[in-house]
Amino acid sequence: MDPVIVGKLAERARRFEEIERMVSQPEIASDPRRFPALLRERGQLERAYELNREVLALTADGTEARSMVESGDQELAELGREELERIEARRPALEREIKRELVKDEELARTRVIVEVRAGTGGDEATLFARDLFEIYTRYAELRRWRIEPIEATTSDVGGFKEMIFALDGPDVWNRMRFESGGHRVQRVPATESQGRTHTSAATVAVLPEAEDVDIEIRDEDLRIDTMRAGGPGGQSVNTTSSAVRITHLPTNTVVQCQDEKSQLKNKAKAMRVLRARLYDAEQQRLHAERADQRKSQVGSGDRSQRVRTYNYPQNRCTDHRLSDNHSLEGITAGKLDPVIDALIEVDLAERIRAL
Protein backbone atom coordinates (compact mmCIF):
# COMPACT_ATOMS: atom_id res chain seq x y z
CA MET A 1 0.00 0.00 0.00
CA ASP A 2 1.26 3.50 -0.89
CA PRO A 3 3.26 4.70 2.16
CA VAL A 4 2.26 8.34 1.52
CA ILE A 5 -1.43 7.40 1.71
CA VAL A 6 -0.85 5.30 4.82
CA GLY A 7 1.04 8.20 6.41
CA LYS A 8 -1.75 10.68 5.73
CA LEU A 9 -4.26 8.26 7.22
CA ALA A 10 -2.12 7.83 10.34
CA GLU A 11 -1.99 11.63 10.78
CA ARG A 12 -5.77 11.79 10.89
CA ALA A 13 -5.92 8.88 13.31
CA ARG A 14 -3.51 10.67 15.64
CA ARG A 15 -5.62 13.82 15.47
CA PHE A 16 -8.72 11.77 16.35
CA GLU A 17 -6.94 10.40 19.43
CA GLU A 18 -5.81 13.90 20.39
CA ILE A 19 -9.39 15.20 20.21
CA GLU A 20 -10.60 12.22 22.25
CA ARG A 21 -8.26 13.34 25.05
CA MET A 22 -9.21 17.01 24.67
CA VAL A 23 -13.00 16.59 24.91
CA SER A 24 -12.61 14.72 28.19
CA GLN A 25 -11.01 17.78 29.81
CA PRO A 26 -13.51 19.80 31.91
CA GLU A 27 -12.25 23.21 30.74
CA ILE A 28 -12.86 22.25 27.09
CA ALA A 29 -16.15 20.42 27.71
CA SER A 30 -17.53 23.61 29.31
CA ASP A 31 -16.47 25.87 26.39
CA PRO A 32 -19.65 26.53 24.32
CA ARG A 33 -17.69 27.47 21.21
CA ARG A 34 -14.75 25.07 21.21
CA PHE A 35 -16.46 21.89 22.44
CA PRO A 36 -19.07 21.58 19.62
CA ALA A 37 -16.38 22.29 16.99
CA LEU A 38 -14.16 19.54 18.42
CA LEU A 39 -17.06 17.08 18.54
CA ARG A 40 -17.80 17.78 14.89
CA GLU A 41 -14.15 17.33 13.93
CA ARG A 42 -13.97 14.08 15.91
CA GLY A 43 -16.99 12.77 14.03
CA GLN A 44 -15.37 13.67 10.72
CA LEU A 45 -12.16 11.81 11.65
CA GLU A 46 -13.73 8.72 13.17
CA ARG A 47 -13.84 6.72 9.92
CA ALA A 48 -10.17 7.52 9.21
CA TYR A 49 -9.31 6.27 12.71
CA GLU A 50 -11.19 3.00 12.06
CA LEU A 51 -9.49 2.51 8.69
CA ASN A 52 -6.09 3.14 10.24
CA ARG A 53 -6.78 0.45 12.84
CA GLU A 54 -7.65 -1.95 10.03
CA VAL A 55 -4.40 -1.11 8.21
CA LEU A 56 -2.39 -1.75 11.38
CA ALA A 57 -4.23 -5.04 11.96
CA LEU A 58 -3.67 -6.20 8.36
CA THR A 59 0.01 -5.26 8.60
CA ALA A 60 0.39 -7.28 11.80
CA ASP A 61 -1.53 -10.20 10.28
CA GLY A 62 0.69 -10.07 7.20
CA THR A 63 3.87 -10.17 9.30
CA GLU A 64 2.56 -13.15 11.25
CA ALA A 65 1.42 -14.94 8.07
CA ARG A 66 4.84 -14.54 6.42
CA SER A 67 6.47 -15.97 9.54
CA MET A 68 4.16 -18.98 9.25
CA VAL A 69 5.11 -19.44 5.57
CA GLU A 70 8.80 -19.32 6.43
CA SER A 71 8.45 -21.58 9.48
CA GLY A 72 9.31 -24.80 7.66
CA ASP A 73 6.16 -26.46 8.91
CA GLN A 74 4.13 -27.49 5.84
CA GLU A 75 0.72 -27.29 7.49
CA LEU A 76 1.53 -23.95 9.16
CA ALA A 77 2.93 -22.60 5.89
CA GLU A 78 -0.28 -23.49 4.07
CA LEU A 79 -2.32 -21.59 6.66
CA GLY A 80 0.04 -18.64 6.28
CA ARG A 81 -0.39 -18.60 2.49
CA GLU A 82 -4.19 -18.66 2.88
CA GLU A 83 -3.97 -15.71 5.27
CA LEU A 84 -1.76 -13.79 2.83
CA GLU A 85 -4.29 -14.41 0.05
CA ARG A 86 -7.04 -13.02 2.29
CA ILE A 87 -4.95 -9.93 3.03
CA GLU A 88 -4.10 -9.36 -0.63
CA ALA A 89 -7.76 -9.76 -1.62
CA ARG A 90 -8.79 -7.09 0.88
CA ARG A 91 -5.96 -4.65 0.06
CA PRO A 92 -7.27 -3.04 -3.21
CA ALA A 93 -10.73 -2.30 -1.79
CA LEU A 94 -9.22 -0.99 1.44
CA GLU A 95 -6.85 1.31 -0.46
CA ARG A 96 -9.75 2.69 -2.52
CA GLU A 97 -11.75 3.29 0.66
CA ILE A 98 -8.80 5.06 2.28
CA LYS A 99 -8.33 7.32 -0.75
CA ARG A 100 -12.02 8.27 -0.72
CA GLU A 101 -11.78 9.05 2.98
CA LEU A 102 -8.64 11.17 2.55
CA VAL A 103 -10.15 13.31 -0.21
CA LYS A 104 -13.43 13.71 1.64
CA ASP A 105 -13.95 17.38 2.41
CA GLU A 106 -15.34 17.91 5.90
CA GLU A 107 -17.22 20.95 4.64
CA LEU A 108 -19.34 18.76 2.36
CA ALA A 109 -21.24 17.43 5.37
CA ARG A 110 -22.98 20.77 5.88
CA THR A 111 -26.76 20.55 5.85
CA ARG A 112 -27.69 24.20 5.23
CA VAL A 113 -26.96 26.48 2.28
CA ILE A 114 -28.07 29.86 1.00
CA VAL A 115 -28.67 30.09 -2.74
CA GLU A 116 -28.61 33.39 -4.64
CA VAL A 117 -30.04 33.39 -8.18
CA ARG A 118 -29.60 36.59 -10.21
CA ALA A 119 -30.73 37.49 -13.71
CA GLY A 120 -27.88 38.27 -16.08
CA THR A 121 -27.86 39.44 -19.71
CA GLY A 122 -31.13 39.17 -21.59
CA GLY A 123 -33.47 41.75 -20.05
CA ASP A 124 -36.94 40.51 -19.08
CA GLU A 125 -36.22 37.06 -20.50
CA ALA A 126 -33.25 36.72 -18.12
CA THR A 127 -35.50 37.44 -15.13
CA LEU A 128 -37.95 34.77 -16.33
CA PHE A 129 -35.04 32.34 -16.63
CA ALA A 130 -33.96 33.19 -13.07
CA ARG A 131 -37.50 32.34 -11.94
CA ASP A 132 -37.29 29.05 -13.87
CA LEU A 133 -34.06 28.16 -12.09
CA PHE A 134 -35.68 28.85 -8.72
CA GLU A 135 -38.58 26.58 -9.69
CA ILE A 136 -36.13 23.83 -10.75
CA TYR A 137 -34.41 24.04 -7.37
CA THR A 138 -37.77 24.07 -5.59
CA ARG A 139 -38.78 20.84 -7.35
CA TYR A 140 -35.38 19.31 -6.66
CA ALA A 141 -35.69 20.21 -2.97
CA GLU A 142 -39.09 18.51 -2.87
CA LEU A 143 -37.65 15.34 -4.43
CA ARG A 144 -34.76 15.34 -1.93
CA ARG A 145 -37.11 16.22 0.96
CA TRP A 146 -35.12 19.35 1.77
CA ARG A 147 -36.76 22.33 3.47
CA ILE A 148 -36.79 25.49 1.33
CA GLU A 149 -37.14 28.97 2.81
CA PRO A 150 -37.38 32.11 0.63
CA ILE A 151 -35.34 34.96 2.11
CA GLU A 152 -35.43 37.89 -0.31
CA ALA A 153 -36.87 38.40 -3.79
CA THR A 154 -36.70 41.27 -6.26
CA THR A 155 -39.23 40.81 -9.05
CA SER A 156 -39.38 42.20 -12.58
CA ASP A 157 -42.36 43.74 -14.39
CA VAL A 158 -42.97 40.49 -16.28
CA GLY A 159 -43.10 38.31 -13.17
CA GLY A 160 -39.52 37.09 -13.22
CA PHE A 161 -36.80 37.48 -10.60
CA LYS A 162 -34.05 40.05 -10.83
CA GLU A 163 -32.75 38.38 -7.69
CA MET A 164 -33.95 35.48 -5.57
CA ILE A 165 -32.28 34.44 -2.31
CA PHE A 166 -33.44 31.34 -0.49
CA ALA A 167 -32.18 28.78 2.03
CA LEU A 168 -32.11 25.00 1.73
CA ASP A 169 -31.87 22.68 4.70
CA GLY A 170 -31.42 18.91 4.54
CA PRO A 171 -29.03 15.94 4.31
CA ASP A 172 -26.23 16.22 1.71
CA VAL A 173 -27.46 19.66 0.62
CA TRP A 174 -24.06 21.38 0.32
CA ASN A 175 -22.35 18.35 -1.23
CA ARG A 176 -24.92 18.34 -4.04
CA MET A 177 -25.85 22.00 -4.50
CA ARG A 178 -22.23 23.26 -4.67
CA PHE A 179 -22.11 22.24 -8.34
CA GLU A 180 -24.83 24.76 -9.19
CA SER A 181 -22.57 27.77 -8.58
CA GLY A 182 -21.65 29.59 -11.76
CA GLY A 183 -23.21 30.88 -14.97
CA HIS A 184 -26.36 29.30 -16.42
CA ARG A 185 -27.47 30.02 -19.99
CA VAL A 186 -30.83 29.45 -21.69
CA GLN A 187 -31.57 29.23 -25.43
CA ARG A 188 -35.25 29.51 -26.34
CA VAL A 189 -37.90 31.64 -28.02
CA PRO A 190 -39.09 34.21 -25.46
CA ALA A 191 -42.83 34.72 -24.97
CA THR A 192 -42.33 38.33 -26.09
CA GLU A 193 -40.65 37.34 -29.38
CA SER A 194 -43.12 37.89 -32.23
CA GLN A 195 -40.97 36.45 -35.04
CA GLY A 196 -40.08 33.16 -33.37
CA ARG A 197 -36.36 33.79 -33.07
CA THR A 198 -34.31 31.94 -30.47
CA HIS A 199 -32.66 34.19 -27.91
CA THR A 200 -29.86 33.49 -25.43
CA SER A 201 -30.18 34.78 -21.88
CA ALA A 202 -28.22 34.16 -18.73
CA ALA A 203 -28.41 33.99 -14.97
CA THR A 204 -25.86 33.39 -12.24
CA VAL A 205 -26.18 31.11 -9.23
CA ALA A 206 -24.14 31.36 -6.05
CA VAL A 207 -24.47 28.56 -3.49
CA LEU A 208 -23.06 29.48 -0.08
CA PRO A 209 -22.71 27.09 2.86
CA GLU A 210 -24.64 28.68 5.71
CA ALA A 211 -22.14 29.57 8.41
CA GLU A 212 -22.60 28.65 12.05
CA ASP A 213 -21.52 30.67 15.07
CA VAL A 214 -18.36 28.58 15.44
CA ASP A 215 -17.35 29.26 11.80
CA ILE A 216 -17.11 33.01 11.78
CA GLU A 217 -17.32 35.79 14.34
CA ILE A 218 -19.02 39.08 13.49
CA ARG A 219 -18.47 41.91 15.95
CA ASP A 220 -21.30 44.35 16.63
CA GLU A 221 -18.96 47.32 16.16
CA ASP A 222 -18.24 46.14 12.59
CA LEU A 223 -21.90 46.49 11.57
CA ARG A 224 -23.98 49.43 10.44
CA ILE A 225 -27.69 48.65 10.55
CA ASP A 226 -30.16 50.91 8.75
CA THR A 227 -33.93 50.57 8.78
CA MET A 228 -36.30 51.97 6.17
CA ARG A 229 -39.69 51.50 4.63
CA ALA A 230 -39.92 48.59 2.27
CA GLY A 231 -40.24 49.33 -1.42
CA GLY A 232 -42.42 47.64 -4.01
CA PRO A 233 -45.63 45.62 -3.55
CA GLY A 234 -46.38 43.92 -0.30
CA GLY A 235 -49.61 45.08 1.29
CA GLN A 236 -50.47 47.83 3.73
CA SER A 237 -47.97 47.38 6.57
CA VAL A 238 -44.99 46.59 4.34
CA ASN A 239 -44.88 50.11 2.92
CA THR A 240 -46.03 52.08 5.99
CA THR A 241 -43.63 50.77 8.66
CA SER A 242 -39.83 50.85 8.79
CA SER A 243 -39.51 47.09 8.58
CA ALA A 244 -36.84 46.81 5.87
CA VAL A 245 -33.30 46.28 7.14
CA ARG A 246 -29.97 46.98 5.46
CA ILE A 247 -26.82 45.68 7.16
CA THR A 248 -23.34 46.82 6.12
CA HIS A 249 -20.27 44.92 7.28
CA LEU A 250 -17.82 47.80 7.48
CA PRO A 251 -14.47 45.94 7.22
CA THR A 252 -15.47 44.28 3.92
CA ASN A 253 -18.17 46.74 2.76
CA THR A 254 -20.54 43.79 2.30
CA VAL A 255 -24.16 44.98 2.14
CA VAL A 256 -27.24 42.83 2.69
CA GLN A 257 -30.82 44.03 2.60
CA CYS A 258 -34.02 42.23 3.52
CA GLN A 259 -37.61 43.50 3.40
CA ASP A 260 -39.76 40.45 2.73
CA GLU A 261 -41.05 40.14 6.29
CA LYS A 262 -43.39 42.61 8.02
CA SER A 263 -41.29 42.32 11.18
CA GLN A 264 -38.07 44.31 11.41
CA LEU A 265 -36.61 41.68 13.75
CA LYS A 266 -37.32 38.88 11.26
CA ASN A 267 -35.80 40.88 8.41
CA LYS A 268 -32.71 41.56 10.51
CA ALA A 269 -32.36 37.87 11.37
CA LYS A 270 -32.63 36.86 7.71
CA ALA A 271 -30.18 39.56 6.62
CA MET A 272 -27.67 38.39 9.23
CA ARG A 273 -27.93 34.81 7.92
CA VAL A 274 -27.12 35.98 4.39
CA LEU A 275 -24.31 38.25 5.62
CA ARG A 276 -22.76 35.47 7.67
CA ALA A 277 -22.91 33.09 4.68
CA ARG A 278 -21.32 35.66 2.34
CA LEU A 279 -18.48 36.44 4.74
CA TYR A 280 -17.83 32.77 5.34
CA ASP A 281 -17.88 32.09 1.60
CA ALA A 282 -15.43 34.94 0.99
CA GLU A 283 -13.03 33.41 3.49
CA GLN A 284 -13.38 29.99 1.85
CA GLN A 285 -12.75 31.51 -1.58
CA ARG A 286 -9.59 33.13 -0.20
CA LEU A 287 -8.38 29.77 1.09
CA HIS A 288 -9.20 28.16 -2.28
CA ALA A 289 -7.18 30.86 -4.05
CA GLU A 290 -4.14 29.95 -1.95
CA ARG A 291 -4.42 26.44 -3.40
CA ALA A 292 -5.03 27.67 -6.96
CA ASP A 293 -3.51 24.72 -8.82
CA GLN A 294 -5.58 22.21 -6.87
CA ARG A 295 -8.70 24.37 -7.19
CA LYS A 296 -8.47 24.51 -10.99
CA SER A 297 -8.35 20.73 -11.16
CA GLN A 298 -11.52 20.22 -9.17
CA VAL A 299 -15.05 20.26 -10.53
CA GLY A 300 -16.44 21.41 -7.20
CA SER A 301 -14.24 24.47 -6.85
CA GLY A 302 -17.23 26.81 -6.80
CA ASP A 303 -15.73 29.22 -9.33
CA ARG A 304 -18.50 31.78 -9.88
CA SER A 305 -17.07 32.93 -13.23
CA GLN A 306 -17.32 29.63 -15.08
CA ARG A 307 -20.32 28.79 -17.27
CA VAL A 308 -21.65 25.55 -15.93
CA ARG A 309 -24.80 24.69 -17.85
CA THR A 310 -26.81 25.51 -21.00
CA TYR A 311 -30.56 24.84 -21.27
CA ASN A 312 -31.51 24.44 -24.95
CA TYR A 313 -35.30 24.40 -25.29
CA PRO A 314 -35.63 23.88 -29.09
CA GLN A 315 -33.60 20.66 -28.83
CA ASN A 316 -34.89 19.60 -25.38
CA ARG A 317 -31.28 19.33 -24.29
CA CYS A 318 -29.41 20.35 -21.16
CA THR A 319 -25.63 20.46 -21.44
CA ASP A 320 -23.43 20.56 -18.37
CA HIS A 321 -20.10 21.86 -19.63
CA ARG A 322 -18.12 19.91 -17.03
CA LEU A 323 -19.40 16.59 -18.37
CA SER A 324 -19.17 14.90 -21.77
CA ASP A 325 -22.85 13.99 -22.13
CA ASN A 326 -26.21 15.76 -22.43
CA HIS A 327 -29.39 15.31 -20.43
CA SER A 328 -33.09 15.66 -21.14
CA LEU A 329 -34.17 19.24 -20.51
CA GLU A 330 -37.65 18.00 -19.66
CA GLY A 331 -36.24 15.97 -16.78
CA ILE A 332 -34.06 18.84 -15.54
CA THR A 333 -36.93 21.33 -15.49
CA ALA A 334 -38.92 18.76 -13.50
CA GLY A 335 -36.23 18.99 -10.83
CA LYS A 336 -34.52 15.69 -11.69
CA LEU A 337 -30.98 16.96 -11.19
CA ASP A 338 -29.59 13.82 -9.54
CA PRO A 339 -28.18 12.18 -12.72
CA VAL A 340 -26.17 15.34 -13.49
CA ILE A 341 -25.03 15.90 -9.92
CA ASP A 342 -24.14 12.23 -9.37
CA ALA A 343 -21.88 12.37 -12.43
CA LEU A 344 -20.25 15.59 -11.22
CA ILE A 345 -19.59 14.08 -7.79
CA GLU A 346 -17.83 11.10 -9.42
CA VAL A 347 -15.68 13.33 -11.63
CA ASP A 348 -14.80 15.52 -8.67
CA LEU A 349 -13.88 12.49 -6.56
CA ALA A 350 -11.64 11.05 -9.28
CA GLU A 351 -9.80 14.37 -9.65
CA ARG A 352 -9.32 14.70 -5.89
CA ILE A 353 -7.85 11.19 -5.72
CA ARG A 354 -5.47 11.95 -8.61
CA ALA A 355 -4.30 15.05 -6.74
CA LEU A 356 -3.31 13.10 -3.60
Side-chain angles (χ1 to χ4, degrees), residues 150-155 160-165 231 257-260:
I151 292 178
E152 180 74 359
T154 305
T155 58
F161 288 129
K162 295 178 182 178
E163 178 184 67
M164 180 65 187
I165 302 174
Q257 182 169 320
C258 189
Q259 63 176 29
D260 270 19

Side-chain angles (χ1 to χ4, degrees), residues 147-152 164-168 261 270 273:
R147 187 172 68 89
I148 185 167
E149 177 189 358
I151 292 178
E152 180 74 359
M164 180 65 187
I165 302 174
F166 59 97
L168 290 173
E261 300 286 348
K270 283 188 173 183
R273 287 174 63 187

Side-chain angles (χ1 to χ4, degrees), residues 245-265:
V245 174
R246 181 173 62 235
I247 300 178
T248 304
H249 184 248
L250 300 174
T252 61
N253 199 33
T254 303
V255 181
V256 177
Q257 182 169 320
C258 189
Q259 63 176 29
D260 270 19
E261 300 286 348
K262 296 179 181 179
S263 162
Q264 186 183 111
L265 287 176

Side-chain angles (χ1 to χ4, degrees), residues 7-23:
K8 289 178 181 291
L9 184 69
E11 287 178 13
R12 297 198 180 188
R14 286 193 293 271
R15 175 59 178 165
F16 175 85
E17 292 172 342
E18 180 186 8
I19 294 173
E20 282 276 79
R21 292 190 294 270
M22 292 171 67
V23 296

Side-chain angles (χ1 to χ4, degrees), residues 316-328:
N316 188 32
R317 184 184 70 219
C318 182
T319 303
D320 194 293
H321 302 291
R322 298 157 293 185
L323 301 172
S324 57
D325 55 350
N326 297 313
H327 295 264
S328 163

Side-chain angles (χ1 to χ4, degrees), residues 195-246:
Q195 298 182 23
R197 293 174 297 189
T198 299
H199 287 226
T200 300
S201 302
T204 59
V205 176
V207 182
L208 317 176
E210 188 165 352
E212 300 176 12
D213 290 340
V214 296
D215 296 324
I216 189 166
E217 183 178 2
I218 301 177
R219 301 184 305 171
D220 291 341
E221 55 266 35
D222 289 339
L223 300 179
R224 186 178 70 234
I225 301 177
D226 302 307
T227 58
M228 66 213 80
R229 292 184 180 182
Q236 294 178 343
S237 62
V238 169
N239 297 308
T240 58
T241 61
S242 297
S243 59
V245 174
R246 181 173 62 235

Side-chain angles (χ1 to χ4, degrees), residues 20-39:
E20 282 276 79
R21 292 190 294 270
M22 292 171 67
V23 296
S24 65
Q25 299 171 8
E27 64 272 21
I28 291 179
S30 59
D31 189 331
R33 292 182 63 85
R34 196 175 179 194
F35 187 65
L38 285 172
L39 287 180

Side-chain angles (χ1 to χ4, degrees), residues 275-346:
L275 175 64
R276 189 178 294 276
R278 288 184 184 174
L279 294 178
Y280 178 73
D281 180 67
E283 175 63 13
Q284 293 303 302
Q285 293 295 320
R286 184 188 67 78
L287 293 175
H288 280 309
E290 292 178 357
R291 303 188 295 269
D293 291 340
Q294 179 182 356
R295 182 179 177 222
K296 288 176 183 176
S297 72
Q298 292 178 2
V299 171
S301 65
D303 189 346
R304 307 282 188 268
S305 63
Q306 82 178 112
R307 189 181 72 196
V308 296
R309 201 171 293 146
T310 296
Y311 305 74
N312 187 307
Y313 276 75
Q315 298 179 24
N316 188 32
R317 184 184 70 219
C318 182
T319 303
D320 194 293
H321 302 291
R322 298 157 293 185
L323 301 172
S324 57
D325 55 350
N326 297 313
H327 295 264
S328 163
L329 180 60
E330 187 177 356
I332 296 297
T333 55
K336 298 176 181 178
L337 294 175
D338 274 342
V340 180
I341 292 176
D342 287 341
L344 289 167
I345 287 175
E346 287 304 311

